[in-house]
Amino acid sequence: KEPIVDVVDAAAVNTTTALAWTMDITTITVEELDFQFDFTLEVTRDDYAHALVAFFDIEFSKCHTPIRFSTGPFSDYTHWK
């Protein structure tokens, strides 16, 4: 009933990933915030699936010092989990 916000170890992932959506916060419109997408995941090993993991990558490229990080299981831990 409630989503769990937690860290997922990369070794626990047993499917491929799928890109859901990209946006540019400097040009996005309100109408573009309402979206749907189809996706396909391929199983990479015979194991149990306990959850669907969603994460985001972000890049602030227009700063004087560009910053990029990911909240995904294949990247270093962030406070976003």
Side-chain angles (χ1 to χ4, degrees), residues 19-78:
L19 177 63
W21 187 51
T22 61
M23 71 167 185
D24 182 337
I25 62 172
T26 63
T27 60
I28 194 159
T29 64
V30 171
E31 294 78 22
E32 291 172 316
L33 294 174
D34 184 13
F35 65 95
Q36 294 182 35
F37 61 94
D38 294 324
F39 66 96
T40 301
L41 300 176
E42 295 180 27
V43 175
T44 57
R45 69 169 189 265
D46 186 18
D47 203 347
Y48 292 98
H50 298 280
L52 178 65
V53 177
F55 60 91
F56 63 90
D57 298 339
I58 190 163
E59 181 178 6
F60 297 103
S61 59
K62 295 185 177 14
C63 303
H64 64 283
T65 303
I67 298 169
R68 182 185 187 287
F69 67 88
S70 174
T71 61
F74 306 105
S75 299
D76 292 336
Y77 170 82
T78 71

